[in-house]
Amino acid sequence: AIKRGTPVPADAIAEYLWPEQSPELTTHRLEVVVSTLRRIVDYRNNSRSWQFIHNDRGSYRLEISTACQVDVDEYHQLLSRVKYLKTEGKSEESLVLYQELDNLYRGDLFEDEPYAEWCWMERETLRETHLDILRQMAMILVQKGDLESAIQYYRKALRFDPLREELHRQLIHTLLKAGRKDEAQRQYLYCCDVLKRELGITPSVETEALNKILS
């Protein structure tokens, strides 16, 4: 699915599934896995060929069509649309698509395979993209005066990655703007604590400057 219809050699798939095992064992195992998978998700079309999982000269590929949707592809399509709207300065329309993107992102890509190298780059790229989407949503909501919703999106972004110091600062500024100074102070202390505990560093000059405002 990640290869988006590009054929993947059978031996490469077998190596991902059963690393360092002999091809004599893995070739048959892969055939069994594909056969099982086809019984679950695939079917033969009128020409009696498989609809989704194709075997082309020793490689497998997923046929992407209207009958086979991949959430990652849908995410990228929405992302292209929202980028276009941003260039047109249509923040209201962008916000609607941002919300659709947020609803579509239900967790990190293949999060049950945290150490799998084959999907690591794609996972990190999507994760960084979605963190930026949450930040952009919050910024638009601040401009609209919907500070409560903006605060919720900043908090959601920080649940994804609590080490993003810039997000802490933006959340603190938004809390202050909303008149919630006590919460802003707690957020500052939490930022300092998590940076020290996880990274062994102190906040940047920009973050420490907020302490003067909060005192």
Side-chain angles (χ1 to χ4, degrees), residues 32 58 66 150-151 159:
V32 172
T66 54
I151 288 166
R159 285 197 295 273

Side-chain angles (χ1 to χ4, degrees), residues 62-166:
L62 182 66
E63 180 66 29
I64 307 298
S65 65
T66 54
C68 177
Q69 295 177 311
V70 179
D71 54 1
V72 174
D73 289 339
E74 187 178 350
Y75 189 93
H76 282 296
Q77 289 163 10
L78 281 172
L79 192 60
S80 296
R81 288 168 57 194
V82 81
K83 285 179 178 178
Y84 170 76
L85 289 174
K86 278 185 65 179
T87 61
E88 295 293 306
K90 299 178 179 179
S91 61
E92 289 286 343
E93 293 91 335
S94 297
L95 184 59
V96 173
L97 290 187
Y98 277 140
Q99 289 167 335
E100 288 186 36
L101 284 163
D102 188 40
N103 291 334
L104 189 59
Y105 195 96
R106 294 183 290 273
D108 287 341
L109 181 70
F110 294 109
E111 59 187 359
D112 54 343
E113 296 282 350
Y115 305 110
E117 293 182 5
W118 59 272
C119 61
W120 183 86
M121 185 64 71
E122 182 87 7
R123 177 194 294 134
E124 290 303 304
T125 300
L126 284 168
R127 199 169 194 274
E128 288 295 318
T129 299
H130 201 67
L131 274 170
D132 186 60
I133 284 169
L134 293 172
R135 185 177 65 85
Q136 294 287 345
M137 290 175 72
M139 291 170 64
I140 292 172
L141 288 164
V142 168
Q143 292 171 359
K144 286 168 57 68
D146 188 352
L147 300 181
E148 181 58 38
S149 296
I151 288 166
Q152 295 307 313
Y153 280 113
Y154 278 131
R155 292 196 189 283
K156 186 172 185 177
L158 284 167
R159 285 197 295 273
F160 270 100
D161 191 344
L163 301 178
R164 296 301 173 105
E165 196 174 345
E166 180 188 0

